[in-house]
């Protein structure tokens, strides 16, 4: 049988990785310092305190939080918690309007009010000649990006992923496809070297991404739809690569040429802005591959996803419409009403309907609480096994022969 797994950040919590609210709190009020490479790192710098750039950024983000909180309160969403993804989206709106020439009349009032609110923060520091709102937004984008990278790049041993190990080892699984929104490396650590993720061309101390990887036979395929903390992009030829050495001074190809790259990894952060990013670069290719996977599979096993990504929800909505036989197995410990309350997207209104129609099947366990054998048994009881394409084609040929 073939199997498609879909993972969100919830599967990483048992391994000690922080949830969204913890990441937000640490970015807004944690200890950080800026570096000469224009990036930010956890902990105090050489002076034993957060430097002026960090203080400036945390004040700026708190001001944006007030804007966002006021908006959600006016919408009656009193329990809606502001997170770093919301703040990153607002920051990108400012960058687009003031820096990239993307004129949007709908946000004109917000940008104007933001300029008034942060006027005291736009005082040049150190060697800075001038400092405007757009410069502040560009720096904030780096600050959040660096914060996410540092907080999710962990040496921790994966925990709660024994089911994944069991599925990899199961002789019942002919093909295992894994789609994830997670930036961390826990899935890769669990799989070892027994998978393909598109970074298949080794050259010196790096592995480059190849767009034809999906057509090659691979029993286990991993698609990271929001990027990864170990992905980089060359500034010279714009190719995506995974470095095999920690020091960027050793990021070089076999010819000895060193690859210049932004120290920040290739990851997607934000909310609605991700929809635009899904259409460019490596993410356009990966989302096309995910679309292909949905075409191939009638069953998806999901865990750890909050149902709040509009782009992903649109793919899943289409998939549900394609066939009433398409069914999603959701591993979730909460009751139906609790799950629905936690959904902050329009999918909240469809969720109960899909459950009632039997297209979403709830199993009241987290992914960490179920074994591969138990999961496969649950699927068998629900008649959710999907044959491999070779066996299906063989049966068709047999029927034609008769």
């Amino acid at each position: 049988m073939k199997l498609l797994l879909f993972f969100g950040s919830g599967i990483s919590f048992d391994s000690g990785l922080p949830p969204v609210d913890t990441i937000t709190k640490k970015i807004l009020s944690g200890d950080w310092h800026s570096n000469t490479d224009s990036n930010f790192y956890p902990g105090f710098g050489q002076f034993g305190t957060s430097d002026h750039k960090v203080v400036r950024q945390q004040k700026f983000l708190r001001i944006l939080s007030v804007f966002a909180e006021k908006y959600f309160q006016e919408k009656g969403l009193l329990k809606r918690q502001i997170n770093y993804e919301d703040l990153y989206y607002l920051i990108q709106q400012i960058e687009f309007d003031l820096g990239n020439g993307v004129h949007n009349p709908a946000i004109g009032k917000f940008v104007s009010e933001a300029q008034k609110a942060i006027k005291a923060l736009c005082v040049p520091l150190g060697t800075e000649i001038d400092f405007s709102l757009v410069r502040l937004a560009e720096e904030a984008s780096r600050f959040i990006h660096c914060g996410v990278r540092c907080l999710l790049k962990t040496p921790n041993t994966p925990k709660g992923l024994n089911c994944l190990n069991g599925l990899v080892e199961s002789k019942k699984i002919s093909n295992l496809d894994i789609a994830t929104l997670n930036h961390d490396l826990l899935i890769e650590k669990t799989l070892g070297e027994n998978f393909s993720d598109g970074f298949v061309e080794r050259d010196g101390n790096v592995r480059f991404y190849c767009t034809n990887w999906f057509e090659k036979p691979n029993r286990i395929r991993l698609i990271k739809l929001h990027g990864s903390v170990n992905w980089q992009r060359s500034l010279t030829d714009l190719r995506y690569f995974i470095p095999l050495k920690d020091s960027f001074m050793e990021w070089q190809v076999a010819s000895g040429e060193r690859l210049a790259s932004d120290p920040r990894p290739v990851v997607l952060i934000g909310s609605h802005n991700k929809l635009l990013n899904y259409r460019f670069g490596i993410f356009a290719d990966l989302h096309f591959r995910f679309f292909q996977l949905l075409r191939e599979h009638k069953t998806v096993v999901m865990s750890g996803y909050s149902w709040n990504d509009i782009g992903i929800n649109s793919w899943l909505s289409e998939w549900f419409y394609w066939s009433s036989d398409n069914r999603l197995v959701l591993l979730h410990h909460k009751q139906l009403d609790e799950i629905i309350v936690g959904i902050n997207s329009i999918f909240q209104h469809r969720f109960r309907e899909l459950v009632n129609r039997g297209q979403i099947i709830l199993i009241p366990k987290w992914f960490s609480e179920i074994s591969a054998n138990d999961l496969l048994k649950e699927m068998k009881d629900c008649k959710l096994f999907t044959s491999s394409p070779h066996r299906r084609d063989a049966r068709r040929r047999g029927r034609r022969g008769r």
Side-chain angles (χ1 to χ4, degrees), residues 151-168:
L151 293 170
L152 293 181
K153 195 171 185 179
T154 174
N156 293 3
T157 300
K159 295 181 179 179
L161 298 180
N162 291 334
C163 181
L164 179 57
N165 273 323
L167 294 173
V168 169

Side-chain angles (χ1 to χ4, degrees), residues 81-111:
Q81 297 295 313
I82 307 303
N83 59 55
Y84 73 89
E85 305 260 25
D86 299 318
L87 299 177
Y88 195 92
Y89 176 57
L90 290 178
I91 290 164
Q92 283 222 324
Q93 293 297 299
I94 294 172
E95 288 186 276
F96 287 160
D97 188 70
L98 299 179
N100 298 338
V102 180
H103 303 298
N104 180 2
I107 67 166
K109 184 177 180 182
F110 160 66
V111 174

Side-chain angles (χ1 to χ4, degrees), residues 24 27-28 57 60-61 64-65 68 82-96 110 137-149 183 262 264-274 277:
T24 304
I27 288 176
L28 288 177
Q57 279 307 314
F60 176 48
L61 295 177
L64 291 183
S65 295
I82 307 303
N83 59 55
Y84 73 89
E85 305 260 25
D86 299 318
L87 299 177
Y88 195 92
Y89 176 57
L90 290 178
I91 290 164
Q92 283 222 324
Q93 293 297 299
I94 294 172
E95 288 186 276
F96 287 160
F110 160 66
E138 291 168 353
E139 185 180 81
S141 176
R142 288 197 302 274
F143 181 45
I144 292 180
H145 203 111
C146 294
V148 171
R149 173 201 61 194
H183 307 313
D262 190 323
R264 292 172 294 174
V266 178
V267 297
L268 292 184
I269 305 173
S271 53
H272 305 312
N273 58 293
K274 289 176 182 173
N277 291 318

Side-chain angles (χ1 to χ4, degrees), residues 255-321:
S255 65
E257 177 187 358
R258 191 165 69 85
L259 296 176
S261 173
D262 190 323
R264 292 172 294 174
V266 178
V267 297
L268 292 184
I269 305 173
S271 53
H272 305 312
N273 58 293
K274 289 176 182 173
L275 289 172
L276 181 63
N277 291 318
Y278 289 167
R279 300 181 60 189
F280 296 98
I282 191 173
F283 297 107
D285 189 60
L286 292 172
H287 279 261
F288 171 64
R289 303 305 183 186
F290 180 54
F291 181 85
Q292 285 183 294
L293 286 182
L294 290 176
R295 285 290 192 188
E296 293 178 17
H297 291 269
K298 286 188 173 296
T299 303
V300 175
V301 175
M302 176 185 287
S303 189
Y305 178 51
S306 63
W307 296 89
N308 290 318
D309 186 298
I310 294 177
I312 299 300
N313 287 353
S314 66
W315 286 130
L316 294 174
S317 291
E318 291 294 321
W319 180 72
F320 283 123
Y321 278 124

Side-chain angles (χ1 to χ4, degrees), residues 327-339:
R327 286 180 284 179
L328 185 146
V329 178
L330 179 61
L331 298 170
H332 204 298
H333 215 298
K334 293 183 179 179
Q335 298 297 316
L336 176 60
D337 288 340
E338 293 181 277
I339 297 173

Side-chain angles (χ1 to χ4, degrees), residues 339-402:
I339 297 173
I340 293 175
V341 168
I343 299 175
N344 295 316
S345 69
I346 197 171
F347 212 88
Q348 184 182 65
H349 304 293
R350 289 205 60 207
F351 198 91
R352 189 184 300 276
E353 173 195 349
L354 289 166
V355 171
N356 291 338
R357 281 166 37 185
Q359 286 195 269
I360 293 181
I361 299 170
L362 296 177
I363 296 180
K365 293 182 179 180
W366 300 123
F367 188 73
S368 60
E369 298 174 330
I370 195 169
S371 69
N373 287 335
D374 287 344
L375 175 60
L376 294 176
K377 184 179 183 302
E378 293 268 8
M379 294 177 64
K380 183 178 180 180
D381 291 344
C382 295
K383 300 180 180 179
L384 297 177
F385 278 172
T386 304
S387 302
S388 70
H390 302 297
R391 291 179 181 175
R392 185 170 62 246
D393 291 344
R395 287 201 299 271
R396 286 175 179 170
R397 288 193 296 270
R399 285 196 294 270
R400 285 198 296 269
R402 290 193 289 271

